[in-house]
Amino acid sequence: MNDWENRVREAFDEVVLPDSVKERTLQAVDALSAEPAVSASEAVFAAARRSRAPRTRRWAFALAACLALCAIGFGGFSAFASETAQVGIDVNPSIELGLNRFDCVVAARPLNEDGAQLLEGIDLFGKSYDDAMAALTGSELFLSYVGDDGYVEISVSSADEGQAEALAEKSDACLESLPCHGSCQTVSAENREEARAAGMGVGRYNAARELMELDSSVTLEECRTMTMRELREKIAAAGGNSSGSPSGETGAHHGRQSGGAGQGMHGRGGDSSE
């Protein structure tokens, strides 16, 4: 192994990449830099080949650097695009935002027809959570649903407790700025999957489940067509908790009850997990 090959391998030792990627790259370098054996009939061209060898090696070294940069770039994009948290927003529109570890939006999913209409014409990809929520809650369609008698339920799910808590706090701040009632909860992955299986956002699903426990005549299909305000009013009428904190559940609940921005109560309670 010559000096330049040693330098390539030493440089790769400093690169944080999967071993399989490193090995394939180094194999490509070795293949490009290998000089074919010189036969007797080619002896007259030996000097020319030796003069081209440094050029071949330079190209191989450049290729190795490019491959390493591409691999590093792909790893960075993968980290940016990977979802580490989900935030469900239920009013009557129901949507879910997928966020990466940097609290940037990498996915926006409608969970009902109104949610699909809400997301039309709003480009949220790459926005910070704060900017995405500002764009959503500032849209004309969203504001038509909230008003003084609206109710917004925000559900945060993440395996990273620190990220979940930070997103819940940002959600609380967003709720404070809205002219309506609302609450925020951190929820388990299991709770989120149950809601998805039912074809509903987590906030709507939890409210529907609570209402059905209080009133056995109510069906999940009926709850699916109700606004969050209607669900909360029916829960209160049936003797339940209208604050958005489902009865019988424990964990971190972030809630605010008010009739306008900056008014009312803002508090914490339990996690919506089984």
Side-chain angles (χ1 to χ4, degrees):
M1 187 178 294
N2 58 37
D3 181 62
W4 83 270
E5 289 171 330
N6 283 328
R7 289 201 299 271
V8 170
R9 292 181 180 275
E10 289 171 1
F12 263 71
D13 288 339
E14 304 298 323
V15 178
V16 180
L17 290 171
D19 291 340
S20 60
V21 175
K22 286 185 178 181
E23 187 60 30
R24 288 196 300 271
T25 303
L26 289 172
Q27 287 174 358
V29 173
D30 291 339
L32 285 172
S33 61
E35 293 185 48
V38 179
S39 64
S41 62
E42 295 174 325
V44 293
F45 301 109
R49 284 200 179 94
R50 282 195 297 271
S51 68
R52 289 199 299 270
R55 181 179 301 175
T56 301
R57 290 168 181 168
R58 286 195 296 271
W59 276 103
F61 188 85
L63 176 62
C66 289
L67 289 172
L69 289 173
C70 288
I72 294 170
F74 178 78
F77 177 78
S78 178
F80 180 86
S82 297
E83 284 188 37
T84 58
Q86 295 80 33
V87 177
I89 304 162
D90 291 287
V91 193
N92 190 47
S94 289
I95 66 171
E96 182 180 75
L97 302 180
L99 304 167
N100 64 16
R101 69 185 64 184
F102 311 109
D103 291 351
C104 292
V105 177
V106 293
R109 295 178 283 268
L111 301 179
N112 59 12
E113 290 184 6
D114 289 338
Q117 292 180 6
L118 177 61
L119 290 176
E120 283 183 3
I122 302 179
D123 184 9
L124 301 178
F125 185 83
K127 291 184 181 294
S128 69
Y129 180 61
D130 288 335
D131 289 346
M133 289 299 287
L136 280 172
T137 59
S139 69
E140 184 176 345
L141 183 57
F142 184 90
L143 291 173
S144 71
Y145 283 106
V146 291
D148 291 340
D149 62 346
Y151 194 100
V152 180
E153 187 93 45
I154 299 178
S155 307
V156 179
S157 175
S158 177
D160 184 336
E161 293 183 4
Q163 184 177 25
E165 181 69 17
L167 289 171
E169 291 179 357
K170 292 178 180 181
S171 300
D172 285 340
C174 179
L175 288 171
E176 288 283 2
S177 69
L178 298 178
C180 64
H181 296 72
S183 63
C184 174
Q185 307 171 61
T186 53
V187 301
S188 67
E190 293 77 13
N191 188 195
R192 174 175 171 266
E193 287 304 316
E194 288 176 2
R196 286 175 62 85
M200 304 169 74
V202 181
R204 190 184 305 278
Y205 173 74
N206 287 343
R209 188 176 59 179
E210 184 175 8
L211 178 57
M212 289 188 295
E213 289 176 355
L214 294 167
D215 185 350
S216 59
S217 68
V218 177
T219 66
L220 192 64
E221 189 62 33
E222 290 174 330
C223 294
R224 189 177 284 112
T225 61
M226 296 181 194
T227 66
M228 289 305 302
R229 183 65 181 185
E230 290 170 337
L231 282 167
R232 287 296 161 199
E233 287 177 344
K234 288 183 179 294
I235 289 171
N241 184 356
S242 65
S243 69
S245 177
S247 60
E249 298 185 346
T250 60
H253 170 261
H254 310 243
R256 167 182 170 272
Q257 300 298 309
S258 77
Q263 304 174 13
M265 176 182 66
H266 183 240
R268 299 175 183 266
D271 186 344
S272 186
S273 57
E274 296 295 322

